[in-house]
Amino acid sequence: MKAVIIAAGEGSRMCNTLGSSSLPKPILPLLGIPIIERIIRASKRAGINDFIVVTGYRGEKIKDYLGDGKRLGVKIRYAFNQQWPMGNAYSLLAARPFIEPEERFFLLMGDHIFEPALLHNFLKHVEERVGKSSLPEKSQKLHFLAVETSFPKELDLDEATKALITGENITGLGKELKQFNGVDTGLFNFHYHIFDILTENIENSNGSISSALQPIISNNNLKAFQFKNLFWQDIDNRTDLEQAKRRLLKRLVPEKDGMVSRYFNRHLSLAITSHLSNFPISPNAISVASFFMCLGSAFLFALGQPVAASLIAQLASVLDGVDGEIARVKFQESPFGAYFDSILDRYADAALIGGIVAGSLLAETSSPLLILLAGFFALTASPFSMLSKEKYTNLTGKEYIPSELEGRFSYLPINRDGRIAIIMVGGLLNQLTLTLIVLAVLTNLQIIIRLIVVRKQLLCTNKNIK
Amino acid sequence: MKAVIIAAGEGSRMCNTLGSSSLPKPILPLLGIPIIERIIRASKRAGINDFIVVTGYRGEKIKDYLGDGKRLGVKIRYAFNQQWPMGNAYSLLAARPFIEPEERFFLLMGDHIFEPALLHNFLKHVEERVGKSSLPEKSQKLHFLAVETSFPKELDLDEATKALITGENITGLGKELKQFNGVDTGLFNFHYHIFDILTENIENSNGSISSALQPIISNNNLKAFQFKNLFWQDIDNRTDLEQAKRRLLKRLVPEKDGMVSRYFNRHLSLAITSHLSNFPISPNAISVASFFMCLGSAFLFALGQPVAASLIAQLASVLDGVDGEIARVKFQESPFGAYFDSILDRYADAALIGGIVAGSLLAETSSPLLILLAGFFALTASPFSMLSKEKYTNLTGKEYIPSELEGRFSYLPINRDGRIAIIMVGGLLNQLTLTLIVLAVLTNLQIIIRLIVVRKQLLCTNKNIK
């Protein structure tokens, strides 16, 4: 299905607050990716590959930036709306030559970002709903608007276009609506038929889409796709842009994070990501940097510099979160990146333990046998945290989330973030042998905990299969 | 859907060859599981949970063995066919009181074993085919027979009931058929209506099901479910039983096996499995035994007994295949068993490397630094073989099969079977430090090979997603 993106407006409220910015709003960068590129990339994930961008104010800037879409792996064509100051309804009409009669298409706003799942679910909903009405005459009268019904606290209700949903129909739409139970997200799905309706009614409207749609609202032909708790945001001004940044960053913290990561590392790594995202640095480059910092830390441990070593190790652990964050926020996730990162992490872990063993042996403060044994058990058990999670996922199809499955034990610092925190504390206190012993005990204890947890989970799964 | 299993015959050809055996054929054990229990367990995996077993000759023995089915997690009821010497068609009629009018059911033979996928696919085929004919009058006339069309070399064509398939219809069925293009597997799917047809025609038949079905064959109402290359076997005599044993064992070798395992270990492990399957030994017990043998081997390495140590390690590696074989051949696979086994294997690997490091250090034939470094790299890289496979499966949804993905590199002995073979050879030659170096080099080399292979595979996958 095609998508029409309206990117014709001046974005005057944005310009005022941004001062001298002369870029049209859709190509303002948000965590390293222009707003309209976010919209196209999210749509692509939802299964949309063919775009018509309607430009107006400084349209050539948008065209120069996006081009024909090859770089993004999609097709982009441009419609120019000369009458752009008169309103969005005129921009929608400008897209008419690109849509076939009988064709359905999405309408997206060039300043409304959203997560891929939102458009994906919307698409499924439309396909199901249209599939039900077997008569073409009926289906061409069906138009849809995605309506948020959960009213998140970030929403500015004064600025929002409100919607009143009655059954499956939208019976009221507008900024001034007194009675409402949802918020207009600016994501529409139309039949080509909409152009005829617009042509007839546009003169009696104020040029906004919501006013031009009043006739189909009165005829109960605008249907609501209702959703809750999916991310979208309208970006009108600088405040919205900052809020979008904060909300996008917050969404980067994975559920399976360990405690040290959740309450400490992520605060730092998100701040780093917020800055680094503006530069063309690939996630894999960050993984490699984190790996070499661990190698450096291991050498410093071996050379008898535990304080410097431990601080570098902890910094590397923070940076180990940044690669994934950058990848997710810049649509650069790749399975190979995840694979590569996991291998580097295992080598980095081993190097740190090796460095501590070497430093401990050379310091000659404990028995070599004790150091070697503790090092052996720590090194043996250290890949298990990852190994057990991967195996669990393969056996059950579900992600292993310690905080859900391990109860109080999930507070033990035995994920990678926790193990490196132990190394940091042990290094700062210059207690290398003790650090090895603590690591060996905790990581091997973890294997027993996981064995018990996985056994319980898999026996439940078995029952379900039977 | 219910399944009727005919287990009424004397199995005279089996008795003759087995000499004094007085057990009815369906409860003769085949790799530790009686034939009829194999049929019920395979049917359960295919989604069938409700069975009617038709008994005749020594029926009480079968009833005593299977009971109400609770032990197998299914429901089993019994129909007695007093006229069992007169033929299978009479046995089928004896099941009539257990089937509701309008109900469909499977008919299975108590001496025909099959793999779950066969019955599962048959079930899907019937559901689709019956779903298409919307009129109940038509659907009640539809009956189905599963027909093998690949003629495997193990098949004895003289003994087989042959089938002629024309379009979707079976137009000929019998042992003496001259022209045929398939083989009757004895797996039927009938509508209740079949009982009326049998009642009318049984007197004119010779009592066999194929002759009693001639009227529906003439009316083109017996449809073929054609399949190829799925395992099933008719067990008539001692030779068939031995052949079934061989074919079941052969099916136990997983595709992802390493070279040492494929060309050496499996020959031994299948022989062990063939014997051990007759005893009530759980797969997990075998995993634990293999683990303790590795621990023992590690201690012998440390104590300077490399020859004994290496032989025990190799034996443990063979036994490491037996747990999975026993589990698969006795329907005892469990996800927890797989998880538990993989953890024990990782500890066993680490213990072996630790034991060789200790033995090498104590023998004082090489520099301790060299030994410790080689041990460190071998220990670090040893879990990667498994780790990379699990991660790959999670990222792609496909199994990592070295022989398909790694080309010539798959001949390197770097899977667990290969690593332990290296340890055996190194131990027999008393070259412990060299063994560690070879292990360290090969396992770390493997990580690089996998990185390249996975990168290529994942980039292909990415393209497909786009």
Side-chain angles (χ1 to χ4, degrees):
Chain A
M1 209 179 277
K2 289 173 191 159
V4 172
I5 306 179
I6 296 185
E10 193 181 358
S12 52
R13 282 176 294 176
M14 186 65 84
C15 284
N16 287 343
T17 27
L18 284 178
S20 62
S21 161
S22 63
L23 290 177
K25 188 165 62 171
I27 54 172
L28 283 181
L30 169 55
L31 291 169
I33 307 265
I35 294 170
I36 195 166
E37 184 176 331
R38 290 199 166 273
I39 292 165
I40 292 171
R41 287 191 184 270
S43 304
K44 191 185 164 203
R45 294 237 170 133
I48 308 292
N49 293 297
D50 194 348
F51 298 88
I52 293 96
V53 174
V54 183
T55 61
Y57 174 76
R58 289 187 179 263
E60 76 287 353
K61 292 260 181 196
I62 295 175
K63 218 165 164 174
D64 286 350
Y65 179 76
L66 290 175
D68 60 1
K70 246 182 213 150
R71 186 177 59 87
L72 304 179
V74 298
K75 183 174 171 187
I76 302 179
R77 285 169 295 172
Y78 297 88
F80 182 63
N81 172 21
Q82 272 190 305
Q83 300 159 288
W84 62 264
M86 294 175 68
N88 277 341
Y90 289 90
S91 291
L92 175 52
L93 266 183
R96 183 172 196 153
F98 296 87
I99 308 292
E100 310 287 325
E102 302 308 320
E103 197 176 357
R104 301 199 70 84
F105 63 98
F106 279 105
L107 174 67
L108 311 174
M109 300 299 138
D111 53 2
H112 286 208
I113 59 169
F114 50 86
E115 66 174 299
L118 173 47
L119 190 60
H120 181 79
N121 295 354
F122 191 7
L123 176 60
K124 294 272 156 225
H125 175 83
V126 168
E127 284 173 348
E128 265 177 38
R129 185 60 188 77
V130 170
K132 268 188 207 160
S133 59
S134 45
L135 298 170
E137 313 89 80
K138 273 199 177 171
S139 117
Q140 70 168 223
K141 285 190 184 153
L142 287 178
H143 308 284
F144 300 86
L145 169 60
V147 180
E148 154 111 47
T149 56
S150 46
F151 297 98
K153 64 179 190 310
E154 294 89 351
L155 192 76
D156 180 359
L157 265 184
D158 292 338
E159 282 296 322
T161 303
K162 273 79 79 180
L164 180 64
I165 311 165
T166 314
E168 64 160 359
N169 299 319
I170 289 174
T171 49
L173 193 65
K175 277 205 177 182
E176 313 305 329
L177 215 62
K178 288 279 170 293
Q179 203 198 346
F180 57 88
N181 48 15
V183 175
D184 171 356
T185 60
L187 276 69
F188 291 89
N189 186 282
F190 289 126
H191 186 273
Y192 178 85
H193 185 58
I194 195 74
F195 293 120
D196 297 335
I197 294 170
L198 277 186
T199 312
E200 278 174 37
N201 297 289
I202 202 157
E203 309 247 309
N204 306 321
S205 78
N206 63 12
S208 78
I209 289 179
S210 53
S211 75
L213 290 181
Q214 290 306 329
I216 65 166
I217 292 175
S218 317
N219 291 333
N220 278 340
N221 282 332
L222 186 61
K223 308 293 175 186
F225 160 63
Q226 301 180 44
F227 69 89
K228 286 181 178 186
N229 305 320
L230 290 169
F231 174 77
W232 70 282
Q233 178 151 353
D234 177 5
I235 300 174
D236 277 336
N237 50 42
R238 185 78 192 196
T239 315
D240 292 343
L241 195 70
E242 286 304 316
Q243 192 186 57
K245 204 187 258 186
R246 279 198 305 278
R247 290 177 74 190
L248 284 173
L249 286 173
K250 211 172 139 193
R251 287 169 42 78
L252 296 177
V253 180
E255 228 185 327
K256 61 177 181 200
D257 248 14
M259 293 298 153
V260 175
S261 179
R262 181 160 298 234
Y263 295 113
F264 178 75
N265 295 2
R266 284 292 172 196
H267 294 284
L268 289 173
S269 65
L270 289 178
I272 297 174
T273 296
S274 169
H275 287 283
L276 278 191
S277 62
N278 296 312
F279 301 95
I281 299 172
S282 82
N284 282 348
I286 297 166
S287 304
V288 171
S290 169
F291 170 68
F292 277 104
M293 284 169 71
C294 283
L295 281 197
S297 167
F299 274 102
L300 287 172
F301 271 120
L303 296 173
Q305 300 288 337
V307 174
S310 56
L311 291 175
I312 293 177
Q314 182 56 38
L315 193 57
S317 175
V318 170
L319 214 56
D320 186 42
V322 173
D323 51 5
E325 292 169 14
I326 294 263
R328 291 193 291 283
V329 86
K330 293 181 86 170
F331 295 89
Q332 293 176 344
E333 302 105 310
S334 83
F336 177 71
Y339 183 86
F340 183 61
D341 188 35
S342 70
I343 286 179
L344 287 184
D345 281 357
R346 298 293 83 67
Y347 268 116
D349 288 354
L352 284 174
I353 292 170
I356 296 173
V357 167
S360 206
L361 284 173
L362 293 172
E364 295 187 348
T365 49
S366 330
S367 118
L369 183 62
L370 176 65
I371 296 169
L372 286 178
L373 272 181
F376 170 78
F377 279 105
L379 191 56
T380 298
S382 127
F384 269 91
S385 173
M386 175 189 168
L387 198 57
S388 57
K389 285 178 185 169
E390 298 288 334
K391 186 96 192 163
Y392 177 82
T393 302
N394 273 338
L395 291 171
T396 63
K398 289 182 288 189
E399 213 175 353
Y400 188 96
I401 298 177
S403 57
E404 281 178 11
L405 298 171
E406 292 177 356
R408 279 168 302 171
F409 289 113
S410 70
Y411 289 92
L412 282 175
I414 42 187
N415 293 297
R416 186 162 198 253
D417 56 330
R419 295 197 304 270
I420 293 187
I422 290 171
I423 290 175
M424 182 187 67
V425 173
L428 290 176
L429 300 173
N430 197 11
Q431 291 291 334
L432 299 194
T433 312
L434 184 62
T435 303
L436 289 174
I437 295 172
V438 170
L439 281 179
V441 169
L442 280 180
T443 50
N444 284 281
L445 176 66
Q446 177 193 38
I447 296 175
I448 299 169
I449 295 170
R450 293 256 160 105
L451 207 57
I452 296 168
V453 169
V454 169
R455 180 157 194 271
K456 199 178 138 195
Q457 289 297 317
L458 291 181
L459 292 181
C460 297
T461 315
N462 259 2
K463 260 181 210 157
N464 291 342
I465 290 172
K466 276 174 191 170
Chain B
M1 211 179 278
K2 288 172 190 158
V4 173
I5 306 178
I6 297 185
E10 192 179 358
S12 52
R13 282 176 294 177
M14 186 66 83
C15 285
N16 288 341
T17 27
L18 286 177
S20 62
S21 161
S22 62
L23 289 177
K25 188 165 61 170
I27 54 173
L28 282 180
L30 170 54
L31 291 169
I33 308 265
I35 295 170
I36 195 166
E37 183 176 332
R38 290 198 166 273
I39 294 165
I40 292 172
R41 286 191 185 271
S43 304
K44 191 185 163 200
R45 293 238 171 131
I48 308 291
N49 294 297
D50 194 347
F51 297 88
I52 293 95
V53 174
V54 183
T55 62
Y57 174 76
R58 290 186 179 265
E60 75 289 353
K61 293 260 181 196
I62 295 175
K63 217 165 164 173
D64 285 352
Y65 179 76
L66 290 176
D68 60 2
K70 244 180 213 150
R71 185 177 61 86
L72 305 179
V74 298
K75 183 175 171 187
I76 302 179
R77 286 169 296 172
Y78 297 87
F80 182 63
N81 172 21
Q82 271 190 305
Q83 298 159 288
W84 62 264
M86 293 175 67
N88 276 343
Y90 290 90
S91 291
L92 175 51
L93 266 184
R96 184 173 196 153
F98 295 87
I99 309 293
E100 309 287 326
E102 301 307 321
E103 196 175 358
R104 300 199 71 84
F105 64 98
F106 280 106
L107 174 68
L108 311 173
M109 299 299 138
D111 52 2
H112 287 207
I113 58 171
F114 51 84
E115 67 174 298
L118 173 47
L119 190 61
H120 181 79
N121 295 355
F122 192 7
L123 176 60
K124 293 272 157 225
H125 176 83
V126 169
E127 284 174 347
E128 265 176 37
R129 185 61 188 75
V130 171
K132 270 188 205 161
S133 59
S134 45
L135 299 170
E137 312 89 80
K138 274 199 178 174
S139 117
Q140 72 169 219
K141 283 189 185 156
L142 287 177
H143 308 284
F144 300 85
L145 169 60
V147 180
E148 154 110 47
T149 56
S150 46
F151 297 98
K153 65 178 190 308
E154 294 89 352
L155 193 76
D156 180 358
L157 264 185
D158 293 337
E159 283 296 321
T161 303
K162 273 79 79 180
L164 179 65
I165 311 164
T166 314
E168 65 161 356
N169 299 319
I170 290 174
T171 48
L173 193 65
K175 278 204 175 183
E176 313 305 330
L177 216 61
K178 289 280 168 291
Q179 203 199 345
F180 56 87
N181 48 14
V183 175
D184 171 357
T185 60
L187 276 69
F188 291 88
N189 186 281
F190 290 125
H191 185 275
Y192 178 85
H193 185 59
I194 194 72
F195 294 119
D196 296 334
I197 295 171
L198 279 185
T199 312
E200 276 173 39
N201 297 288
I202 202 158
E203 309 249 309
N204 304 322
S205 79
N206 63 12
S208 77
I209 288 180
S210 52
S211 75
L213 290 181
Q214 290 306 330
I216 65 166
I217 292 175
S218 316
N219 291 332
N220 279 339
N221 283 332
L222 186 60
K223 308 291 176 188
F225 160 64
Q226 300 180 45
F227 69 89
K228 284 180 179 187
N229 306 320
L230 290 170
F231 174 77
W232 70 281
Q233 179 151 353
D234 177 6
I235 300 173
D236 277 335
N237 50 42
R238 186 78 193 199
T239 315
D240 291 344
L241 194 69
E242 287 303 316
Q243 193 187 56
K245 203 187 257 185
R246 279 197 306 279
R247 290 178 75 191
L248 284 172
L249 286 173
K250 211 172 140 193
R251 288 169 42 78
L252 296 178
V253 180
E255 229 185 326
K256 63 177 182 203
D257 248 13
M259 293 298 154
V260 176
S261 179
R262 181 161 300 234
Y263 295 112
F264 178 75
N265 294 2
R266 285 291 171 196
H267 294 284
L268 288 174
S269 66
L270 289 178
I272 297 174
T273 296
S274 169
H275 288 282
L276 278 191
S277 62
N278 297 310
F279 302 95
I281 300 174
S282 82
N284 282 349
I286 297 167
S287 303
V288 171
S290 170
F291 170 69
F292 276 104
M293 284 169 71
C294 284
L295 281 198
S297 167
F299 273 102
L300 286 171
F301 271 119
L303 294 174
Q305 301 289 337
V307 175
S310 56
L311 291 175
I312 293 177
Q314 182 56 38
L315 194 57
S317 175
V318 170
L319 213 55
D320 186 41
V322 173
D323 52 5
E325 292 169 14
I326 294 261
R328 291 193 290 284
V329 87
K330 294 181 84 169
F331 296 90
Q332 292 177 345
E333 302 105 310
S334 83
F336 177 71
Y339 182 87
F340 183 61
D341 187 35
S342 70
I343 285 179
L344 287 184
D345 281 357
R346 298 294 82 69
Y347 268 116
D349 288 353
L352 284 174
I353 292 170
I356 296 173
V357 167
S360 207
L361 284 173
L362 293 173
E364 294 186 351
T365 50
S366 330
S367 117
L369 183 62
L370 177 65
I371 296 169
L372 285 178
L373 272 181
F376 170 78
F377 280 105
L379 191 56
T380 297
S382 128
F384 269 91
S385 174
M386 176 189 168
L387 199 56
S388 57
K389 286 178 186 169
E390 298 288 334
K391 186 97 192 163
Y392 178 83
T393 302
N394 274 338
L395 290 171
T396 64
K398 289 183 287 191
E399 213 174 353
Y400 188 96
I401 298 177
S403 57
E404 281 178 11
L405 298 172
E406 292 177 357
R408 279 167 303 173
F409 289 114
S410 69
Y411 289 93
L412 284 175
I414 41 187
N415 292 296
R416 184 161 200 255
D417 56 332
R419 296 196 305 271
I420 293 187
I422 290 171
I423 289 175
M424 181 186 67
V425 173
L428 290 176
L429 300 173
N430 198 10
Q431 290 291 333
L432 299 194
T433 311
L434 184 62
T435 303
L436 288 175
I437 295 171
V438 171
L439 280 180
V441 170
L442 280 180
T443 49
N444 284 281
L445 176 67
Q446 178 193 38
I447 295 175
I448 299 168
I449 295 170
R450 293 256 160 106
L451 208 57
I452 296 166
V453 169
V454 169
R455 181 157 192 271
K456 200 177 136 197
Q457 289 298 318
L458 291 181
L459 291 181
C460 297
T461 315
N462 259 3
K463 260 181 208 156
N464 291 341
I465 288 171
K466 276 174 191 172

